[in-house]
Amino acid sequence: MLARVTTFALEGLEPRPVTVEVDVRTGLPAFTIVGLGDTAVREARERVRAALLNSGFEFPMRRLVVNLAPANLRKVGPGFDAAIAAAVLAASGQVPLLSLDGTGIFGELSLGGEIRSCRGTLSAAEGARTMGLQRLLVADERAGEAALVPGLSVGAVSDLRELAAVLSGEREQRSPVVEVALSHLPAPGLDLSEVRGQGEVVEALVTAAAGGHNLLMEGPPGVGKTMLAKRLAGLLPPLNRQEALEVTKIHSAVGLHSETGLMTQRPFRAPHHSVSVSGLVGGGSVPTPGEITLAHRGVLFLDELSEFARNSLEALRQPLEDGEITVVRRAGRATFPALVTVVAATNPCPCGHAGDGDRCRCDPQALAAHAKRLSGPIIDRFDLFATARRPKASEMETQPSPGLVTTERASTRVVEARRLQSDRWAGSSFGVNSEASEADLRECGQVSAAAFKQLSEAYEKGVLSPRGRLRLLRVARTLADLADSPDVEVDHIFGALSLRVRDTHR
């Protein structure tokens, strides 16, 4: 007898429907799986056999062939186990054959018959809705995640016995209840009120959050660069539901998930400077997301920027410009989103004290070698530069006052600036100033003629590249939004120029 059921393979972040076909017929006992599966798929034979027997079902001692179609699509991981087991039960007459119609099944099996969650459950749910399936049966652990997809009936099953009972109609399908409120709650204790003596850097941080601009902080060790970067996520506005689904889908694809199913906080990723190219931008024999994609819609913090491998940093150039990255490998290709706000911190010299009085002991050769660690194209990808300086003793002793900048107050300014941008760019494929083209800014950005003249003068002096010119105009638009100004004026161009100038301390 032949049985068919639908499951899903993950290709990058995208679901690919897979039809599990099981044929059981008279012959010498055999259990064969075909269809371009990896080692985990081939090992499903042992998991499925043990799970069926340990769950009290009969394993057919006949010739059993499992085909995963289409045969030219590479199948990776254990997410096909539950679908294979269900099709075996149907093909051997232990559950109704028609019960598999319109049903998708996704999950791994333990030897005892428990159904375990698999990475990519949210993608599988989106695939089931796209295919028009009536329902999707998944593991208890990830049912809430799958239920985030509207227009799809999701059933939570704990083990193979419950799966068979639901398919046979002996038990009602358990549907998870998902009630997730998107909130704007920064991490406890990470407040700007704790920052001392870094007013200019705090303002640059607010500007970066308001417009989605990349920021490079430079300064001696221990002055608070990392402390400031960790507070950026708390300044960003809350995720809307579509953005939250995007973030959840990415994290689901790598096996990370929230207890509530939906990721409600903007991600903050801080990879160590020893990270590989594939770890940073994505890769592997089967393309998987890297840190820049895991930070999508959030913050990617690169501490000790000059210590990162040169090839790792250079690999960031294209995704920072395009907002996405395509990884091509022999096993296939995948495109991952990479809309991130990058915040980087670096020391001004090998000893870290250049520009800090006469404390620097680096010779000219060491300074020149340090400067070459960051290429011009990488530096040009940053919109804002800020110098963190050693606070004075009087500043360190200052107690919190009513006028002190707090995360709550700064966040209010950021949210209002983002609202203005959302209204301005409504109907566009983007929503923040950092993604706007010059044509967009000319058409909708209300840039005064005097401001454009000042921008042209700065460009003619050679201090800006064509890319830098556009990035400066974007920052000026953000400064105007923070000032609640409908037009970009000369003062905003000057402000953007002051944030664009990098203090090299040399």
Side-chain angles (χ1 to χ4, degrees):
M1 186 180 295
L2 177 65
R4 293 188 179 93
V5 68
T6 301
T7 188
F8 296 90
L10 196 63
E11 195 172 62
L13 300 178
E14 299 306 314
R16 298 290 180 252
V18 173
T19 301
V20 177
E21 301 175 320
V22 173
D23 181 61
V24 177
R25 63 183 60 247
T26 304
L28 292 174
F31 189 1
T32 306
I33 298 180
V34 298
L36 201 59
D38 70 345
T39 301
V41 175
R42 294 193 294 272
E43 291 173 347
R45 293 177 301 178
E46 305 306 323
R47 291 192 297 273
V48 170
R49 179 187 286 109
L52 286 170
L53 294 174
N54 289 326
S55 299
F57 297 105
E58 173 195 351
F59 185 81
M61 297 303 293
R62 286 172 283 175
R63 181 173 178 78
L64 192 154
V65 178
V66 178
N67 179 43
L68 305 178
N72 64 341
L73 175 66
R74 186 173 295 275
K75 322 299 187 309
V76 178
F80 309 94
D81 290 3
I84 293 173
V88 170
L89 289 173
S92 58
Q94 298 179 74
V95 299
L97 197 62
L98 293 178
S99 65
L100 300 181
D101 291 349
T103 297
I105 301 175
F106 188 73
E108 177 186 349
L109 283 176
S110 73
L111 297 183
E114 294 82 11
I115 297 180
R116 295 170 172 166
S117 62
C118 293
R119 61 185 185 92
T121 300
L122 181 56
S123 295
E126 290 184 344
R129 180 188 61 182
T130 301
M131 285 190 67
L133 296 180
Q134 297 172 8
R135 63 179 175 180
L136 177 69
L137 303 179
V138 298
D140 263 332
E141 297 172 72
R142 295 294 181 89
E145 183 180 298
L148 295 171
V149 177
L152 177 67
S153 174
V154 174
V157 287
S158 60
D159 53 37
L160 199 51
R161 294 188 191 91
E162 184 176 8
L163 175 61
V166 170
L167 291 174
S168 301
E170 299 172 2
R171 184 180 296 187
E172 287 293 326
Q173 172 181 306
R174 290 189 293 116
S175 299
V177 177
V178 181
E179 294 181 1
V180 180
L182 295 174
S183 60
H184 183 44
L185 297 174
L190 300 182
D191 197 279
L192 285 175
S193 61
E194 299 172 340
V195 178
R196 297 290 184 271
Q198 304 292 356
E200 294 180 4
V201 186
V202 169
E203 194 58 31
L205 207 67
V206 171
T207 305
H213 304 290
N214 300 329
L215 167 66
L216 175 60
M217 295 182 290
E218 194 171 43
V223 297
K225 301 187 296 295
T226 301
M227 177 187 183
L228 284 158
K230 289 181 177 179
R231 282 151 179 76
L232 177 58
L235 297 178
L236 296 172
L239 293 164
N240 61 40
R241 189 169 182 84
Q242 181 57 41
E243 291 172 338
L245 284 171
E246 290 176 16
V247 172
T248 304
K249 182 177 178 180
I250 292 167
H251 285 70
S252 172
V254 297
L256 303 174
H257 68 285
S258 168
E259 291 182 1
T260 58
L262 188 69
M263 304 287 288
T264 60
Q265 296 287 329
R266 290 188 180 269
F268 181 91
R269 304 291 298 186
H272 189 261
H273 59 74
S274 62
V275 66
S276 65
V277 174
S278 60
L280 190 58
V281 300
S285 57
V286 177
T288 54
E291 289 291 332
I292 192 171
T293 297
L294 292 172
H296 179 64
R297 300 291 183 186
V299 178
L300 177 65
F301 176 45
L302 303 177
D303 199 7
E304 305 297 345
L305 184 68
S306 60
E307 300 302 319
F308 279 75
R310 180 76 172 241
N311 57 343
S312 295
L313 290 181
E314 297 304 312
L316 288 175
R317 287 161 54 176
Q318 179 264 331
L320 288 182
E321 199 67 27
D322 299 341
E324 65 178 23
I325 182 168
T326 299
V327 178
V328 181
R329 295 292 185 270
R330 186 178 64 177
R333 59 182 293 153
T335 298
F336 301 118
L339 291 174
V340 299
T341 299
V342 176
V343 179
T346 186
N347 294 323
C349 66
C351 79
H353 295 289
D356 187 14
D358 59 354
R359 300 181 66 193
C360 181
R361 295 294 182 266
C362 299
D363 57 40
Q365 291 79 9
L367 291 174
H370 184 79
K372 291 179 180 178
R373 294 185 68 88
L374 299 178
S375 70
I378 281 294
I379 293 297
D380 209 34
R381 260 67 175 185
F382 288 94
D383 306 325
L384 309 169
F385 300 97
T387 300
R389 304 188 185 280
R390 187 167 174 264
K392 299 176 182 178
S394 58
E395 293 172 327
M396 293 299 295
E397 296 167 2
T398 302
Q399 296 299 314
S401 63
L404 201 65
V405 176
T406 65
T407 292
E408 183 179 359
R409 293 174 182 171
S411 178
T412 300
R413 294 177 61 203
V414 169
V415 170
E416 177 59 22
R418 287 281 184 118
R419 185 191 64 78
L420 294 172
Q421 294 169 60
S422 179
D423 293 342
R424 179 184 306 117
W425 309 124
S428 303
S429 59
F430 58 90
V432 290
N433 293 333
S434 62
E435 301 172 42
S437 67
E438 182 165 335
D440 294 322
L441 292 166
R442 284 180 178 273
E443 183 177 351
C444 304
Q446 296 92 25
V447 184
S448 69
F452 260 119
K453 180 181 178 182
Q454 185 59 51
L455 179 66
S456 298
E457 289 179 2
Y459 179 76
E460 289 297 330
K461 291 178 181 178
V463 297
L464 298 170
S465 67
R467 182 191 294 113
R469 178 181 181 278
L470 173 58
R471 289 182 177 272
L472 187 138
L473 185 58
R474 291 167 174 169
V475 172
R477 179 63 266 178
T478 299
L479 293 176
D481 289 336
L482 286 168
D484 198 20
S485 170
D487 297 332
V488 175
E489 303 291 355
V490 174
D491 288 348
H492 304 130
I493 296 294
F494 279 127
L497 278 168
S498 68
L499 289 170
R500 183 75 187 173
V501 175
R502 184 185 180 206
D503 185 357
T504 60
H505 308 289
R506 314 194 227 292

